[in-house]
Amino acid sequence: MSVFRSIIMAEDLCISNGSKAEKYQTLLPQIKSLIEGENDLIANLANISAALKETFGFFWVGFYLVKGEELVLGPFQGPIACTRIRKGRGVCGTAWAKAEMLVVPDVDAFPGHIACNSLSRSEIVVPLIRENGEVWGVLDIDSESLNTFDETDARFLGEICSWL
Ligand code: SME
């Protein structure tokens, strides 16, 4: 095998064809090894977005980063999205303001939900929190189906975000 081929293969993502929990269990160590040798934040957020999108086929996966009083769009995978969200606005801005994870089974039932794309039906937002409790960004994942996200997503996505 050539050196070039082995380098390419090192970047291939292995995806379990089992349950959602098994998919996450296969994915998490790969994400950990992708990011632990790299200290560039944008590179790591980009690869995490891509790995989640590739594993689960979610409609939209991405990060918003706190800049002043707004969340600004960061690395993502999926259709174009809103670039700025004010604190306390929408699901993302609410997760920031409350510093807590939000699982939204039906976005139409969430007061103030920001519809970046009309196809989005359910959503999970995980805040990225510093040791001092300050929120510095959020991970946002959108689905085209209702009720996509549950305790399993909350647990594994929370763990991924705790590594950042
Ligand atoms: N729906 C989000 C906005 C971001 S997009 O879904 C990518 C919200 O209500 O905060």
Side-chain angles (χ1 to χ4, degrees), residues 74-126:
F76 72 97
Q77 294 273 318
I80 58 167
C82 323
T83 49
R84 290 173 186 269
I85 298 172
R86 292 196 71 80
K87 192 171 190 177
R89 300 288 301 277
V91 185
C92 293
T94 304
W96 172 20
K98 292 184 167 177
E100 72 186 37
M101 186 178 322
L102 295 177
V103 177
V104 180
D106 178 356
V107 295
D108 290 335
F110 187 95
H113 166 258
I114 299 165
C116 291
N117 190 297
S118 60
L119 293 176
S120 175
R121 306 293 302 282
S122 62
E123 180 164 354
I124 185 169
V125 178
V126 186

Short mmCIF file of all heavy atoms in Angstrom, two decimals, residues 74-126:
data_model
loop_
_atom_site.label_atom_id
_atom_site.label_comp_id
_atom_site.label_asym_id
_atom_site.label_seq_id
_atom_site.Cartn_x
_atom_site.Cartn_y
_atom_site.Cartn_z
N GLY A 74 -20.59 29.47 12.47
CA GLY A 74 -19.24 28.89 12.36
C GLY A 74 -19.26 27.72 11.39
O GLY A 74 -20.14 27.63 10.52
N PRO A 75 -18.32 26.78 11.54
CA PRO A 75 -18.27 25.63 10.63
C PRO A 75 -19.57 24.83 10.69
O PRO A 75 -20.11 24.58 11.76
CB PRO A 75 -17.10 24.81 11.19
CG PRO A 75 -16.25 25.80 11.89
CD PRO A 75 -17.20 26.78 12.48
N PHE A 76 -20.06 24.42 9.51
CA PHE A 76 -21.30 23.64 9.47
C PHE A 76 -21.33 22.77 8.22
O PHE A 76 -20.54 22.96 7.31
CB PHE A 76 -22.53 24.55 9.54
CG PHE A 76 -22.80 25.33 8.27
CD1 PHE A 76 -23.71 24.86 7.34
CD2 PHE A 76 -22.14 26.52 8.02
CE1 PHE A 76 -23.97 25.58 6.17
CE2 PHE A 76 -22.39 27.24 6.86
CZ PHE A 76 -23.30 26.77 5.93
N GLN A 77 -22.29 21.84 8.21
CA GLN A 77 -22.57 21.00 7.05
C GLN A 77 -24.06 21.07 6.80
O GLN A 77 -24.86 20.83 7.71
CB GLN A 77 -22.19 19.55 7.36
CG GLN A 77 -20.71 19.33 7.56
CD GLN A 77 -19.96 19.08 6.27
OE1 GLN A 77 -20.44 18.36 5.41
NE2 GLN A 77 -18.80 19.67 6.12
N GLY A 78 -24.45 21.38 5.59
CA GLY A 78 -25.87 21.46 5.26
C GLY A 78 -26.17 22.72 4.49
O GLY A 78 -25.27 23.42 4.06
N PRO A 79 -27.48 23.02 4.33
CA PRO A 79 -27.86 24.21 3.57
C PRO A 79 -27.39 25.50 4.24
O PRO A 79 -27.13 25.51 5.45
CB PRO A 79 -29.40 24.16 3.58
CG PRO A 79 -29.76 22.78 3.97
CD PRO A 79 -28.64 22.24 4.79
N ILE A 80 -27.31 26.57 3.47
CA ILE A 80 -26.93 27.87 4.03
C ILE A 80 -27.85 28.21 5.19
O ILE A 80 -29.01 27.79 5.23
CB ILE A 80 -26.97 29.00 2.97
CG1 ILE A 80 -28.37 29.12 2.35
CG2 ILE A 80 -25.91 28.78 1.91
CD1 ILE A 80 -28.55 30.39 1.54
N ALA A 81 -27.32 28.98 6.15
CA ALA A 81 -28.07 29.24 7.38
C ALA A 81 -27.95 30.70 7.80
O ALA A 81 -27.11 31.45 7.27
CB ALA A 81 -27.53 28.34 8.49
N CYS A 82 -28.79 31.09 8.78
CA CYS A 82 -28.73 32.45 9.33
C CYS A 82 -27.32 32.69 9.86
O CYS A 82 -26.73 31.80 10.48
CB CYS A 82 -29.67 32.60 10.52
SG CYS A 82 -31.21 31.72 10.36
N THR A 83 -26.79 33.89 9.64
CA THR A 83 -25.41 34.14 10.07
C THR A 83 -25.32 34.65 11.50
O THR A 83 -24.32 34.39 12.18
CB THR A 83 -24.70 35.13 9.13
OG1 THR A 83 -25.54 36.26 8.96
CG2 THR A 83 -24.41 34.49 7.80
N ARG A 84 -26.34 35.39 11.99
CA ARG A 84 -26.25 35.97 13.33
C ARG A 84 -27.54 35.76 14.11
O ARG A 84 -28.63 35.94 13.58
CB ARG A 84 -25.97 37.48 13.25
CG ARG A 84 -24.57 37.77 12.75
CD ARG A 84 -24.33 39.25 12.49
NE ARG A 84 -23.02 39.40 11.88
CZ ARG A 84 -21.89 39.60 12.57
NH1 ARG A 84 -21.93 39.70 13.88
NH2 ARG A 84 -20.74 39.70 11.94
N ILE A 85 -27.39 35.36 15.38
CA ILE A 85 -28.53 35.12 16.26
C ILE A 85 -28.27 35.85 17.58
O ILE A 85 -27.22 35.64 18.20
CB ILE A 85 -28.71 33.60 16.52
CG1 ILE A 85 -29.00 32.86 15.21
CG2 ILE A 85 -29.81 33.37 17.55
CD1 ILE A 85 -29.00 31.34 15.33
N ARG A 86 -29.21 36.67 18.00
CA ARG A 86 -29.00 37.44 19.24
C ARG A 86 -29.26 36.57 20.46
O ARG A 86 -30.03 35.60 20.41
CB ARG A 86 -29.89 38.69 19.26
CG ARG A 86 -29.47 39.70 18.21
CD ARG A 86 -30.07 41.06 18.45
NE ARG A 86 -29.52 41.74 19.61
CZ ARG A 86 -28.35 42.38 19.62
NH1 ARG A 86 -27.61 42.45 18.54
NH2 ARG A 86 -27.94 42.98 20.72
N LYS A 87 -28.60 36.94 21.56
CA LYS A 87 -28.75 36.19 22.81
C LYS A 87 -30.22 36.15 23.20
O LYS A 87 -30.91 37.18 23.17
CB LYS A 87 -27.94 36.86 23.92
CG LYS A 87 -27.80 36.01 25.16
CD LYS A 87 -26.81 36.66 26.12
CE LYS A 87 -26.48 35.71 27.26
NZ LYS A 87 -25.46 36.27 28.16
N GLY A 88 -30.72 34.97 23.54
CA GLY A 88 -32.11 34.82 23.96
C GLY A 88 -33.07 34.60 22.82
O GLY A 88 -34.26 34.35 23.05
N ARG A 89 -32.59 34.68 21.57
CA ARG A 89 -33.47 34.51 20.40
C ARG A 89 -33.35 33.09 19.85
O ARG A 89 -32.26 32.53 19.78
CB ARG A 89 -33.09 35.50 19.29
CG ARG A 89 -33.18 36.96 19.69
CD ARG A 89 -34.61 37.44 19.83
NE ARG A 89 -35.37 37.27 18.59
CZ ARG A 89 -35.34 38.13 17.58
NH1 ARG A 89 -34.59 39.21 17.62
NH2 ARG A 89 -36.08 37.91 16.49
N GLY A 90 -34.50 32.54 19.44
CA GLY A 90 -34.51 31.22 18.83
C GLY A 90 -34.05 30.14 19.80
O GLY A 90 -33.85 30.39 21.00
N VAL A 91 -33.88 28.95 19.27
CA VAL A 91 -33.45 27.83 20.12
C VAL A 91 -31.98 28.04 20.52
O VAL A 91 -31.61 27.86 21.69
CB VAL A 91 -33.63 26.48 19.39
CG1 VAL A 91 -33.30 25.33 20.32
CG2 VAL A 91 -35.06 26.33 18.85
N CYS A 92 -31.17 28.45 19.55
CA CYS A 92 -29.74 28.62 19.84
C CYS A 92 -29.50 29.72 20.87
O CYS A 92 -28.74 29.53 21.84
CB CYS A 92 -28.99 28.95 18.55
SG CYS A 92 -28.95 27.60 17.37
N GLY A 93 -30.14 30.87 20.66
CA GLY A 93 -29.94 31.99 21.58
C GLY A 93 -30.50 31.71 22.96
O GLY A 93 -29.99 32.23 23.98
N THR A 94 -31.53 30.87 23.03
CA THR A 94 -32.10 30.48 24.33
C THR A 94 -31.17 29.52 25.05
O THR A 94 -30.94 29.64 26.27
CB THR A 94 -33.50 29.84 24.14
OG1 THR A 94 -34.32 30.77 23.42
CG2 THR A 94 -34.15 29.51 25.46
N ALA A 95 -30.60 28.55 24.31
CA ALA A 95 -29.64 27.61 24.91
C ALA A 95 -28.43 28.39 25.46
O ALA A 95 -27.89 28.05 26.52
CB ALA A 95 -29.19 26.58 23.89
N TRP A 96 -28.02 29.43 24.74
CA TRP A 96 -26.92 30.29 25.21
C TRP A 96 -27.34 31.02 26.49
O TRP A 96 -26.63 30.97 27.51
CB TRP A 96 -26.55 31.27 24.10
CG TRP A 96 -25.56 32.33 24.47
CD1 TRP A 96 -24.68 32.33 25.54
CD2 TRP A 96 -25.33 33.56 23.76
NE1 TRP A 96 -23.94 33.49 25.53
CE2 TRP A 96 -24.30 34.25 24.45
CE3 TRP A 96 -25.88 34.13 22.61
CZ2 TRP A 96 -23.83 35.50 24.03
CZ3 TRP A 96 -25.41 35.37 22.19
CH2 TRP A 96 -24.39 36.04 22.89
N ALA A 97 -28.48 31.69 26.44
CA ALA A 97 -28.91 32.49 27.59
C ALA A 97 -29.10 31.64 28.85
O ALA A 97 -28.76 32.07 29.95
CB ALA A 97 -30.20 33.23 27.25
N LYS A 98 -29.63 30.44 28.66
CA LYS A 98 -29.89 29.57 29.82
C LYS A 98 -28.69 28.67 30.16
O LYS A 98 -28.72 28.00 31.18
CB LYS A 98 -31.09 28.66 29.54
CG LYS A 98 -32.41 29.39 29.44
CD LYS A 98 -33.53 28.37 29.26
CE LYS A 98 -34.89 29.01 29.47
NZ LYS A 98 -35.99 28.07 29.23
N ALA A 99 -27.71 28.63 29.28
CA ALA A 99 -26.55 27.73 29.42
C ALA A 99 -27.03 26.31 29.65
O ALA A 99 -26.51 25.59 30.51
CB ALA A 99 -25.62 28.18 30.55
N GLU A 100 -28.04 25.92 28.83
CA GLU A 100 -28.50 24.53 28.96
C GLU A 100 -28.87 23.93 27.60
O GLU A 100 -29.23 24.65 26.66
CB GLU A 100 -29.65 24.41 29.95
CG GLU A 100 -30.95 24.96 29.50
CD GLU A 100 -32.00 24.93 30.64
OE1 GLU A 100 -31.65 25.15 31.80
OE2 GLU A 100 -33.17 24.70 30.31
N MET A 101 -28.76 22.61 27.54
CA MET A 101 -29.10 21.89 26.31
C MET A 101 -30.60 21.95 26.08
O MET A 101 -31.38 21.81 27.02
CB MET A 101 -28.64 20.45 26.45
CG MET A 101 -28.81 19.67 25.17
SD MET A 101 -28.24 17.96 25.23
CE MET A 101 -26.78 17.96 26.19
N LEU A 102 -31.01 22.15 24.82
CA LEU A 102 -32.43 22.16 24.49
C LEU A 102 -32.72 21.10 23.43
O LEU A 102 -32.06 21.08 22.38
CB LEU A 102 -32.86 23.53 23.97
CG LEU A 102 -32.78 24.69 24.98
CD1 LEU A 102 -33.15 26.00 24.30
CD2 LEU A 102 -33.68 24.45 26.18
N VAL A 103 -33.68 20.24 23.71
CA VAL A 103 -34.15 19.26 22.74
C VAL A 103 -35.55 19.71 22.34
O VAL A 103 -36.44 19.83 23.19
CB VAL A 103 -34.19 17.84 23.34
CG1 VAL A 103 -34.77 16.84 22.34
CG2 VAL A 103 -32.80 17.40 23.79
N VAL A 104 -35.73 19.99 21.05
CA VAL A 104 -37.01 20.53 20.57
C VAL A 104 -37.64 19.52 19.61
O VAL A 104 -37.20 19.38 18.47
CB VAL A 104 -36.79 21.89 19.86
CG1 VAL A 104 -38.10 22.47 19.35
CG2 VAL A 104 -36.11 22.87 20.80
N PRO A 105 -38.66 18.79 20.06
CA PRO A 105 -39.26 17.74 19.21
C PRO A 105 -40.03 18.29 18.03
O PRO A 105 -40.15 17.63 16.99
CB PRO A 105 -40.20 16.99 20.16
CG PRO A 105 -40.30 17.78 21.41
CD PRO A 105 -39.23 18.82 21.41
N ASP A 106 -40.55 19.53 18.18
CA ASP A 106 -41.33 20.15 17.09
C ASP A 106 -41.00 21.64 17.11
O ASP A 106 -41.45 22.36 18.00
CB ASP A 106 -42.83 19.92 17.33
CG ASP A 106 -43.69 20.60 16.27
OD1 ASP A 106 -43.14 21.31 15.40
OD2 ASP A 106 -44.92 20.43 16.33
N VAL A 107 -40.23 22.08 16.12
CA VAL A 107 -39.77 23.48 16.15
C VAL A 107 -40.94 24.47 16.08
O VAL A 107 -40.85 25.58 16.62
CB VAL A 107 -38.75 23.79 15.03
CG1 VAL A 107 -37.48 22.99 15.22
CG2 VAL A 107 -39.33 23.56 13.65
N ASP A 108 -42.06 24.07 15.46
CA ASP A 108 -43.21 24.99 15.37
C ASP A 108 -43.82 25.25 16.74
O ASP A 108 -44.54 26.23 16.91
CB ASP A 108 -44.27 24.43 14.42
CG ASP A 108 -43.79 24.45 12.98
OD1 ASP A 108 -42.91 25.29 12.66
OD2 ASP A 108 -44.25 23.62 12.18
N ALA A 109 -43.56 24.37 17.69
CA ALA A 109 -44.11 24.55 19.04
C ALA A 109 -43.14 25.30 19.95
O ALA A 109 -43.45 25.50 21.13
CB ALA A 109 -44.44 23.18 19.64
N PHE A 110 -41.98 25.71 19.41
CA PHE A 110 -41.01 26.44 20.23
C PHE A 110 -41.17 27.94 19.95
O PHE A 110 -40.88 28.40 18.85
CB PHE A 110 -39.58 26.01 19.91
CG PHE A 110 -38.54 26.58 20.83
CD1 PHE A 110 -38.09 25.87 21.93
CD2 PHE A 110 -38.02 27.86 20.62
CE1 PHE A 110 -37.14 26.41 22.80
CE2 PHE A 110 -37.08 28.41 21.47
CZ PHE A 110 -36.64 27.68 22.56
N PRO A 111 -41.63 28.71 20.95
CA PRO A 111 -41.85 30.14 20.72
C PRO A 111 -40.55 30.84 20.30
O PRO A 111 -39.53 30.69 20.96
CB PRO A 111 -42.31 30.67 22.09
CG PRO A 111 -42.70 29.45 22.88
CD PRO A 111 -41.91 28.30 22.34
N GLY A 112 -40.59 31.52 19.17
CA GLY A 112 -39.42 32.28 18.72
C GLY A 112 -38.42 31.48 17.92
O GLY A 112 -37.36 32.00 17.57
N HIS A 113 -38.75 30.22 17.61
CA HIS A 113 -37.83 29.42 16.79
C HIS A 113 -37.48 30.20 15.52
O HIS A 113 -38.33 30.82 14.89
CB HIS A 113 -38.49 28.09 16.42
CG HIS A 113 -37.79 27.37 15.32
ND1 HIS A 113 -38.24 27.36 14.01
CD2 HIS A 113 -36.63 26.67 15.33
CE1 HIS A 113 -37.38 26.65 13.28
NE2 HIS A 113 -36.41 26.22 14.05
N ILE A 114 -36.19 30.16 15.16
CA ILE A 114 -35.74 30.86 13.95
C ILE A 114 -35.64 29.83 12.82
O ILE A 114 -34.84 28.89 12.90
CB ILE A 114 -34.36 31.51 14.18
CG1 ILE A 114 -34.45 32.54 15.32
CG2 ILE A 114 -33.84 32.16 12.91
CD1 ILE A 114 -33.10 32.98 15.87
N ALA A 115 -36.48 30.02 11.82
CA ALA A 115 -36.52 29.05 10.71
C ALA A 115 -35.50 29.44 9.65
O ALA A 115 -35.82 30.15 8.69
CB ALA A 115 -37.92 28.99 10.13
N CYS A 116 -34.26 29.00 9.83
CA CYS A 116 -33.25 29.25 8.79
C CYS A 116 -33.64 28.51 7.52
O CYS A 116 -33.32 28.94 6.42
CB CYS A 116 -31.88 28.76 9.23
SG CYS A 116 -31.18 29.71 10.57
N ASN A 117 -34.32 27.38 7.69
CA ASN A 117 -34.77 26.58 6.55
C ASN A 117 -36.12 25.98 6.90
O ASN A 117 -36.26 25.38 7.98
CB ASN A 117 -33.74 25.48 6.25
CG ASN A 117 -34.05 24.80 4.93
OD1 ASN A 117 -35.10 24.18 4.78
ND2 ASN A 117 -33.16 24.93 3.98
N SER A 118 -37.09 26.13 6.01
CA SER A 118 -38.45 25.69 6.32
C SER A 118 -38.56 24.17 6.44
O SER A 118 -39.57 23.66 6.94
CB SER A 118 -39.42 26.20 5.25
OG SER A 118 -39.02 25.68 4.01
N LEU A 119 -37.55 23.44 5.98
CA LEU A 119 -37.62 21.97 6.06
C LEU A 119 -37.28 21.45 7.46
O LEU A 119 -37.55 20.30 7.77
CB LEU A 119 -36.66 21.34 5.04
CG LEU A 119 -37.03 21.56 3.57
CD1 LEU A 119 -35.97 20.97 2.66
CD2 LEU A 119 -38.40 20.94 3.28
N SER A 120 -36.68 22.29 8.29
CA SER A 120 -36.29 21.84 9.63
C SER A 120 -37.53 21.63 10.50
O SER A 120 -38.39 22.49 10.59
CB SER A 120 -35.36 22.89 10.25
OG SER A 120 -35.08 22.52 11.57
N ARG A 121 -37.63 20.44 11.13
CA ARG A 121 -38.82 20.12 11.94
C ARG A 121 -38.50 19.91 13.41
O ARG A 121 -39.33 20.12 14.27
CB ARG A 121 -39.51 18.86 11.39
CG ARG A 121 -39.86 18.91 9.92
CD ARG A 121 -40.93 19.93 9.58
NE ARG A 121 -42.16 19.71 10.31
CZ ARG A 121 -43.08 18.79 10.02
NH1 ARG A 121 -42.90 17.99 9.00
NH2 ARG A 121 -44.17 18.67 10.75
N SER A 122 -37.31 19.37 13.71
CA SER A 122 -36.92 19.20 15.11
C SER A 122 -35.43 19.53 15.24
O SER A 122 -34.71 19.60 14.24
CB SER A 122 -37.24 17.80 15.63
OG SER A 122 -36.54 16.81 14.93
N GLU A 123 -35.01 19.75 16.49
CA GLU A 123 -33.69 20.36 16.67
C GLU A 123 -33.12 20.03 18.05
O GLU A 123 -33.88 19.83 19.01
CB GLU A 123 -33.91 21.88 16.54
CG GLU A 123 -32.70 22.74 16.69
CD GLU A 123 -32.98 24.17 16.14
OE1 GLU A 123 -34.06 24.42 15.57
OE2 GLU A 123 -32.09 25.01 16.31
N ILE A 124 -31.79 19.96 18.14
CA ILE A 124 -31.13 19.88 19.45
C ILE A 124 -30.01 20.92 19.46
O ILE A 124 -29.31 21.09 18.45
CB ILE A 124 -30.58 18.45 19.74
CG1 ILE A 124 -30.00 18.37 21.15
CG2 ILE A 124 -29.56 18.00 18.71
CD1 ILE A 124 -29.70 16.93 21.60
N VAL A 125 -29.89 21.63 20.56
CA VAL A 125 -28.82 22.62 20.70
C VAL A 125 -28.06 22.35 21.99
O VAL A 125 -28.66 22.29 23.07
CB VAL A 125 -29.37 24.06 20.67
CG1 VAL A 125 -28.23 25.07 20.85
CG2 VAL A 125 -30.09 24.34 19.36
N VAL A 126 -26.74 22.19 21.86
CA VAL A 126 -25.88 21.91 23.01
C VAL A 126 -24.95 23.11 23.23
O VAL A 126 -24.17 23.45 22.33
CB VAL A 126 -25.00 20.66 22.76
CG1 VAL A 126 -24.22 20.29 24.01
CG2 VAL A 126 -25.85 19.50 22.27
#
